[in-house]
């Protein structure tokens, strides 16, 4: 499947995500650039670092082969529509940042309707017509040149290390196994994060 076969790419992303929406369309377009720069992952050679948890991330997983389970999809919870792709074997990499006016650039009417709906989340009238406008916006996003939707830059950090298989420890409060790197020490005991949060007053 080539990066110019937008119909096939879209179908694969929709099959994974469950529906079409503007967020998924943004991810499809980001993935097209990621595929052009780094290719599709086969053995954790390609890594995606995403700075958001929006729908776009599902398109990147579906189209680039970068997934949470393999450890080559890294989520940074920074609330930015930014996606960095790396190819480990030769250092190819790119960071994409979605235009701040992306929705208004593609579909001003959708952008205005979304702002009205966000300003009055309990007002059904403010949300009227929004699904149809969202579908139209997604379609327009997919007809754009992906390069027009993002600014390109250099990665702000080196490629993440390959996923490591770590030991598990028993939480000394609940008894459940917890990955060693996610355990906490408190009052001489090894705790999982929920049990640590229950006793650490500063959290």
């Amino acid at each position: 499947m080539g990066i110019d076969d937008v119909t096939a790419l879209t179908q694969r992303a929709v099959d994974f995500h469950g529906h079409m929406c503007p967020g998924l369309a943004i991810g499809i377009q980001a993935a097209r650039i990621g595929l052009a720069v780094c290719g599709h992952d086969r053995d954790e050679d390609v890594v995606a670092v995403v700075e958001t948890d929006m729908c776009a991330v599902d398109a990147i997983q579906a189209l680039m082969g970068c997934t949470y389970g393999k450890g080559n999809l890294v989520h940074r919870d920074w609330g930015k529509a930014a996606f960095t792709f790396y190819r480990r074997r030769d250092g190819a990499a790119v960071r994409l940042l979605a235009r701040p006016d992306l929705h208004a650039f593609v579909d001003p009417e959708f952008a205005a309707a979304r702002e009205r709906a966000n300003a009055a989340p309990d007002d059904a009238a403010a949300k009227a017509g929004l699904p149809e406008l969202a579908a139209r916006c997604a379609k327009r996003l997919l007809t754009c040149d992906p390069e027009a939707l993002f600014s390109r830059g250099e990665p702000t950090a080196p490629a993440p290390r390959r996923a490591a298989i770590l030991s598990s420890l028993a939480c000394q409060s609940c008894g459940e196994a917890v990955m060693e790197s996610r355990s906490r020490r408190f009052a001489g005991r090894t705790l999982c994060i929920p049990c640590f949060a229950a006793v650490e007053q500063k959290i």
Side-chain angles (χ1 to χ4, degrees), residues 29-49:
Q29 295 288 47
R32 290 178 68 199
I33 298 174
L35 288 164
V37 173
C38 296
H40 186 278
D41 181 64
R42 297 297 175 209
D43 186 28
E44 299 178 41
D45 184 47
V46 177
V47 185
V49 176

Side-chain angles (χ1 to χ4, degrees), residues 25-183:
I26 291 167
I28 292 167
Q29 295 288 47
R32 290 178 68 199
I33 298 174
L35 288 164
V37 173
C38 296
H40 186 278
D41 181 64
R42 297 297 175 209
D43 186 28
E44 299 178 41
D45 184 47
V46 177
V47 185
V49 176
V50 297
E51 299 175 31
T52 178
D53 61 359
M54 65 184 282
C55 303
V57 178
D58 278 357
I60 289 166
Q61 291 188 94
L63 301 180
M64 295 196 65
C66 299
T67 67
Y68 281 113
K70 286 195 296 184
N72 63 338
L73 178 78
V74 178
H75 174 229
R76 308 283 189 219
D77 194 12
W78 296 339
K80 298 182 181 182
F83 316 95
T84 304
F85 305 107
Y86 302 87
R87 188 168 59 216
R88 287 187 168 115
R89 69 177 179 270
D90 61 5
V94 65
R95 181 176 186 262
L96 304 176
L97 179 64
R99 291 176 57 138
D101 64 341
L102 182 60
H103 291 116
F105 167 70
V106 172
D107 195 329
E109 189 179 353
F110 167 71
R114 193 175 73 158
E115 284 186 22
R116 287 195 301 272
N118 287 340
D122 297 324
D123 184 353
K127 296 179 180 178
L130 196 56
E132 294 79 10
L133 289 171
R136 186 183 73 189
C137 182
K139 192 170 186 178
R140 288 182 175 176
L141 283 162
L142 292 173
T143 60
C144 289
D145 177 354
E147 297 287 353
L149 306 178
F150 304 94
S151 59
R152 275 189 185 231
E154 293 297 319
T156 57
R161 296 188 303 271
R162 289 182 180 271
I165 299 174
L166 302 175
S167 299
S168 292
L169 303 175
C171 173
Q172 292 176 283
S173 178
C174 68
E176 296 179 356
V178 57
M179 188 186 304
E180 184 177 14
S181 64
R182 298 296 185 268
S183 66

